[in-house]
Amino acid sequence: MDKEIKKINDILVNLFNLVLKLEEEAIQEDSSHNVSIKEIHTMVAIGTGRPKTMTHVANLLGINVSTLTIAINKLVKKGYVKRLRDEKDRRIVKIGLTEEGVSAVNAHEAFHSSMIEEAIADFPQDELQQFIASLDNIEQFIMIRSAGYHKGAGSSCMAPIRLGVHQLPVPIVQAGMSMGIAAGRLASAVAVHGGLGLVGTLEMGHRDPEYTTDRLGANLRAVAREVNKARDLTAAAGGKGLIGVSVMWNKPNAEKFIETAVKAGAQVIVTVGGIPKDLPKYCSSKDVALIPTVSSKRAASAIIRAWSQKYNRVPDAFVFQGPGAAGLLGFKPEQLDRAGEEQYRIMASVKAELSKLENCPLIFGGGVFGKEDAIKAYQYGADAYLMGTRFVTTEECEAPEEFKKLYLNCGENDVTIIRSPMKTSVRVMRTPYACRLEEDGTEDYDIVEAALRGVQGDTDNGLVFCSSDVGRINRIETVGDVFREFETLRK
């Protein structure tokens, strides 16, 4: 085995050095472009598409903006890069390639394509696919290792993290469960113990007397009331944690819930459902941390790119929602099994993407119940842990007692997956209504109304969201009990 390891190491090191040397030789032989290998890589990061902000390009290259500025000044003088003012906000300066810059990048990419085509020309198709799979495995392994190395020596699973301008003493996030399950009392209890407590915004006002006649108004008033309540209770108890809200991005009036929450004093906005490419438009204050929820590296990249280009801002953190989460999942039913097998690899790839940013913690949700789950997630790049189901059966949770009993009595075999109206998966308890939907395979139902009926106790006609870990719940506990379980992981 030692010989094989040495041989693989030699191949990888030699490949890296040889490709770099060939790139340099190709550039030197190209008399039409007077650029260095570093300058070519800078232009590749800028890309031949829409102009990017300096921050975006610096993040892609893994350098700071001041270092990039020196490189860009040289490329501007050489005629390869141009500076442009953003059409919507003249204060924002972006950079793009000139025609000469595009020509240089195209020549560089053509060199790479030609080299790869020649290298694999004689590969039989079956061997080629096996070769690609082997390279993919090596890439994923290195990606996972890089996700762990970012933490540095001496760090721990429960180290404090920074969310924008705020410090979070304990990296535990309570999910913003909607319809009054996660309201002011629960969120404040979490913040008092140093975590991030989220108030759910979706149908928060369903107990308001005016809910049937003014649904939006009732919901907005309830959100403002509960955020204020959470902030006041936290301050009174001397809590050092944070209060935020969870907003369903793909629902109407999402921007109104964001504006209401910020006005009420929310320090963090977490979005779920959809890709919030325009979230900074509705919350420009840097005093409020903005955290999107994603299920893939591709979604995270799209958000970073959109925010950098349009708002000169990047997310303050990301939530990675794994396939074990409760309720609406970011995976289609046919993708769920594979996502479960690969969730840590997917998370590591997301972390590798975030590592390009100066400070962007990764919060893992949908797979953390106890400290052993946090330890494993930490090894794959998680900086913080989001839990929802675990907090439902706490004394501080505002959910009705009968609702909590459903969780206490739910075993592993009492959970199922149904299809959502959005053609993705939903993890729920096997209520009579869920069983009918599962049997019919239908997607034609109102998921919000069905979940609301479940919260109100009508399980014959309603849904009850839960995570894959619900069977591990065996008692009513306090928020303090949950935090104490993780104390041994703190240094």
Side-chain angles (χ1 to χ4, degrees):
M1 180 63 76
D2 289 343
K3 290 182 179 180
E4 286 81 359
I5 291 174
K6 185 179 184 304
K7 181 65 175 177
I8 293 172
N9 179 72
D10 290 345
I11 290 172
L12 291 176
V13 172
N14 289 337
L15 272 176
F16 176 82
N17 291 329
L18 284 171
V19 170
L20 193 62
K21 182 180 178 181
L22 287 172
E23 280 187 320
E24 291 174 342
E25 290 176 352
I27 290 170
Q28 291 171 359
E29 292 172 3
D30 183 3
S31 58
S32 61
H33 299 115
N34 177 29
V35 290
S36 67
I37 187 68
K38 287 187 177 179
E39 287 174 330
I40 275 289
H41 290 165
T42 299
M43 288 191 284
V44 169
I46 295 171
T48 57
R50 292 187 300 177
K52 295 182 174 70
T53 64
M54 291 284 287
T55 301
H56 187 189
V57 176
N59 289 335
L60 291 174
L61 292 169
I63 61 176
N64 57 45
V65 174
S66 59
T67 301
L68 177 63
T69 300
I70 297 171
I72 294 301
N73 288 340
K74 292 181 180 179
L75 287 170
V76 169
K77 286 183 179 180
K78 289 184 176 182
Y80 292 104
V81 173
K82 55 187 176 183
R83 289 187 171 94
L84 304 162
R85 292 283 179 182
D86 187 87
E87 295 180 0
K88 295 182 179 179
D89 188 342
R90 303 293 294 174
R91 296 171 298 178
I92 299 176
V93 177
K94 295 185 176 181
I95 50 177
L97 299 182
T98 63
E99 289 186 9
E100 279 297 307
V102 172
S103 173
V105 168
N106 286 341
H108 178 71
E109 292 179 347
F111 157 75
H112 273 281
S113 295
S114 175
M115 181 173 61
I116 298 299
E117 285 176 6
E118 291 180 23
I120 65 174
D122 297 328
F123 267 65
Q125 187 62 30
D126 57 338
E127 291 185 17
L128 178 60
Q129 294 305 315
Q130 187 176 355
F131 174 66
I132 293 172
S134 299
L135 287 179
D136 183 60
N137 286 335
I138 293 172
E139 180 194 27
Q140 293 300 329
F141 169 76
I142 294 173
M143 197 177 291
I144 290 169
R145 291 294 296 270
S146 68
Y149 282 144
H150 81 282
K151 301 176 189 303
S155 59
S156 74
C157 292
M158 289 288 129
I161 62 171
R162 184 162 57 87
L163 298 177
V165 300
H166 303 289
Q167 185 84 354
L168 186 67
V170 182
I172 290 178
V173 181
Q174 160 251 310
M177 297 163 286
S178 295
M179 301 167 190
I181 296 175
R185 185 175 62 179
L186 175 58
S188 65
V190 171
V192 165
H193 285 85
L196 168 57
L198 297 178
V199 172
T201 60
L202 185 63
E203 306 306 325
M204 173 61 79
H206 71 93
R207 298 187 182 95
D208 190 298
E210 298 181 17
Y211 178 73
T212 56
T213 57
D214 181 18
R215 193 164 184 164
L216 177 60
N219 286 328
L220 293 175
R221 287 192 298 272
V223 169
R225 180 183 68 247
E226 296 302 324
V227 171
N228 274 308
K229 177 181 177 181
R231 289 297 306 268
D232 290 344
L233 289 173
T234 303
K240 302 298 184 183
L242 303 175
I243 296 296
V245 296
S246 176
V247 176
M248 187 71 72
W249 181 256
N250 56 9
K251 289 294 180 183
N253 301 305
E255 72 282 358
K256 293 184 179 179
F257 286 97
I258 292 167
E259 292 165 358
T260 297
V262 170
K263 188 175 180 180
Q267 298 158 293
V268 179
I269 304 292
V270 175
T271 63
V272 296
I275 300 179
K277 291 185 177 181
D278 292 317
L279 177 57
K281 176 180 178 180
Y282 305 109
C283 182
S284 59
S285 173
K286 297 294 180 68
D287 292 332
V288 180
L290 304 182
I291 306 177
T293 298
V294 297
S295 296
S296 67
K297 174 186 174 182
R298 182 178 179 181
S301 300
I303 293 169
I304 293 170
R305 183 168 58 251
W307 288 23
S308 297
Q309 292 178 347
K310 297 177 68 175
Y311 305 104
N312 199 30
R313 180 172 182 173
V314 295
D316 297 296
F318 276 90
V319 173
F320 171 73
Q321 184 191 52
L328 194 61
L329 306 174
F331 305 92
K332 294 181 179 180
E334 59 271 19
Q335 299 172 328
L336 207 54
D337 287 341
R338 183 175 180 183
E341 296 170 357
E342 299 185 349
Q343 69 168 340
Y344 291 105
R345 191 174 82 162
I346 298 170
M347 182 171 69
S349 70
V350 174
K351 182 61 189 182
E353 185 71 12
L354 305 194
S355 295
K356 299 174 184 177
L357 307 181
E358 184 177 348
N359 177 70
C360 191
L362 179 61
I363 303 167
F364 176 51
V368 177
F369 185 89
K371 62 182 182 180
E372 67 280 2
D373 304 315
I375 292 171
K376 184 172 183 179
Y378 175 80
Q379 294 171 342
Y380 285 83
D383 303 293
Y385 318 95
L386 182 144
M387 295 182 286
T389 296
R390 181 75 185 270
F391 284 110
V392 173
T393 50
T394 57
E395 293 178 5
E396 296 90 341
C397 180
E398 286 90 337
E401 292 305 311
E402 290 301 316
F403 190 80
K404 294 182 182 181
K405 289 180 181 178
L406 292 173
Y407 280 70
L408 287 171
N409 296 325
C410 185
E412 182 180 348
N413 295 329
D414 299 321
V415 180
T416 188
I417 298 293
I418 59 173
R419 300 182 71 90
S420 79
M422 289 75 80
K423 301 188 184 303
T424 54
S425 306
V426 188
R427 178 172 281 106
V428 294
M429 292 185 191
R430 287 186 184 275
T431 62
Y433 185 68
C435 290
R436 292 199 298 272
L437 292 177
E438 181 183 21
E439 184 177 347
D440 296 342
T442 182
E443 302 166 358
D444 186 18
Y445 64 98
D446 190 321
I447 191 171
V448 173
E449 293 300 320
L452 184 55
R453 291 192 294 270
V455 170
Q456 293 172 337
D458 183 7
T459 55
D460 285 340
N461 299 289
L463 296 176
V464 178
F465 295 163
C466 65
S467 75
S468 57
D469 291 319
V470 66
R472 296 166 69 178
I473 294 176
N474 54 28
R475 65 189 175 97
I476 298 292
E477 57 189 342
T478 66
V479 168
D481 293 332
V482 177
F483 274 76
R484 276 188 288 275
E485 180 179 330
F486 290 87
E487 278 184 356
T488 57
L489 302 181
R490 300 176 65 184
K491 289 186 177 181

